[in-house]
Amino acid sequence: MREPVYAYIGLGANLGDPRAAVLAAMDAIADIDGLALTHKSSLYGSAPVDAGGGDYVNAVVQVHTRLKPHALLTQLQAIELGAGRSRSYQNAPRTLDLDVLLFDQLVLNDADLVLPHPRMWQRAFVLRPLAEIAPGLVRAAQLQAVAEQAVWLL
């Protein structure tokens, strides 16, 4: 059996009831076979970055999992679909967006999954909640680089 590893998942939504969607997604992630949800960040608000629509609700969770990265991604995409996610165009407003940010120390770049997530270091709405639950993963200089992006605790 595969040894469990830690992975970090970014959550975001800005359509419908985004707060409820993010909280429900946390519960759905906790229910995935083969993982345990070990830490949840606070909820954060943010304005859309390179996207339209209303403000987002964002969070990051840490999971301890035996799943392989692509199996985790498949489970997360099923949760998104269950929440009504459609991918009508890039950066479209979302009922729910779940991204694998980090998967142990794995570096991966294939057609379906890039790890670490390619834009996470450019997004305050990812780094602030990640730093809250895993401060050793985010350096002060990385937070400073995105300090101009408005992100607030909800």
Side-chain angles (χ1 to χ4, degrees):
M1 178 164 263
R2 177 184 173 89
E3 276 298 310
V5 298
Y6 286 103
Y8 295 85
I9 300 165
L11 301 89
N14 77 332
L15 291 177
D17 184 344
R19 178 187 292 261
V22 168
L23 293 172
M26 287 179 177
D27 291 341
I29 290 167
D31 288 341
I32 295 172
D33 287 337
L35 70 72
L37 194 151
T38 50
H39 291 293
K40 300 183 218 181
S41 75
S42 302
L43 298 181
Y44 290 79
S46 69
V49 176
D50 299 331
D55 289 344
Y56 276 81
V57 172
N58 302 286
V60 171
V61 297
Q62 177 193 64
V63 299
H64 199 219
T65 184
R66 293 184 185 281
L67 297 174
K68 293 182 179 179
H70 288 87
L72 177 59
L73 178 64
T74 298
Q75 293 289 323
L76 297 177
Q77 289 174 337
I79 293 169
E80 287 178 336
L81 286 174
R85 169 78 188 260
S86 66
R87 298 174 188 274
S88 52
Y89 58 93
Q90 186 174 4
N91 296 327
R94 301 170 173 102
T95 55
L96 184 63
D97 185 29
L98 302 175
D99 291 319
V100 181
L101 303 173
L102 298 165
F103 194 95
D104 196 30
Q105 300 296 314
L106 183 63
V107 175
L108 177 69
N109 189 350
D110 67 29
D112 298 316
L113 185 58
V114 177
L115 293 169
H117 189 283
R119 291 174 306 282
M120 67 180 278
W121 306 111
Q122 302 163 2
R123 307 286 199 237
F125 64 81
V126 172
L127 295 182
R128 290 266 311 272
L130 179 61
E132 177 189 328
I133 63 171
L137 294 178
V138 182
R139 296 188 313 272
Q142 292 168 318
L143 287 170
Q144 185 59 39
V146 297
E148 78 285 349
Q149 296 175 22
V151 175
W152 55 93
L153 274 170
L154 294 176

